[in-house]
Amino acid sequence: QMELLESGGGSVQAGGSLRLSCTTSGSTFTNYKVGWFRQAPGKEREFVAAIRWDYDSPWYGDPAKGRFTISRDIAKNTVYLQMNRLSPEDTGVYYCNAALGENLMATPGRYWGRGTQVTVFS
């Protein structure tokens, strides 16, 4: 099975930036869709962004549009989420997610990381 590990979360002032990373353990992202979901306390899980590894085709949820950029580094087998102009509404746990085969960009795949906390304060 695919094992995912997130990093890069932290605490940042509103207007600041963070870069999240997602890597695999003992595998590669070839043939996968890889992306990010987030969940704030007491809120529903929310789609943030995803990318098809082999085609380098990104897709963004509404909260990410114009502020976040998802990208991949083949050599490092890593997916990044660059988050700019952060606001308190972006606070939550960000989970890396991956799906093998045909899968809609905003539909969760079966593989999840444990999450990394993002806190944005004003």
Side-chain angles (χ1 to χ4, degrees):
Q1 295 186 344
M2 175 73 69
E3 295 186 6
L4 306 175
L5 178 63
E6 308 99 330
S7 62
S11 181
V12 64
Q13 189 173 4
S17 299
L18 287 172
R19 188 183 71 167
L20 308 183
S21 300
C22 177
T23 63
T24 64
S25 177
S27 186
T28 70
F29 284 129
T30 301
N31 299 319
Y32 278 81
K33 180 205 74 174
V34 187
W36 297 88
F37 291 78
R38 71 185 188 186
Q39 189 166 25
K43 303 293 185 179
E44 298 292 329
R45 184 182 61 198
E46 184 177 37
F47 172 71
V48 179
I51 188 168
R52 295 199 182 277
W53 181 266
D54 301 300
Y55 298 96
D56 193 22
S57 55
W59 188 257
Y60 298 98
D62 288 338
K65 293 178 179 177
R67 299 188 300 128
F68 298 175
T69 301
I70 189 169
S71 62
R72 58 158 166 74
D73 187 322
I74 296 176
K76 296 183 178 180
N77 195 45
T78 299
V79 172
Y80 300 101
L81 183 68
Q82 178 67 45
M83 305 188 294
N84 299 323
R85 294 156 51 197
L86 286 163
S87 70
E89 291 74 33
D90 297 312
T91 293
V93 179
Y94 284 67
Y95 299 92
C96 186
N97 174 259
L100 176 64
E102 294 296 324
N103 184 270
L104 296 176
M105 299 297 278
T107 299
R110 66 180 299 168
Y111 303 107
W112 293 92
R114 294 185 60 85
T116 183
Q117 176 70 41
V118 171
T119 302
V120 185
F121 59 92
S122 60

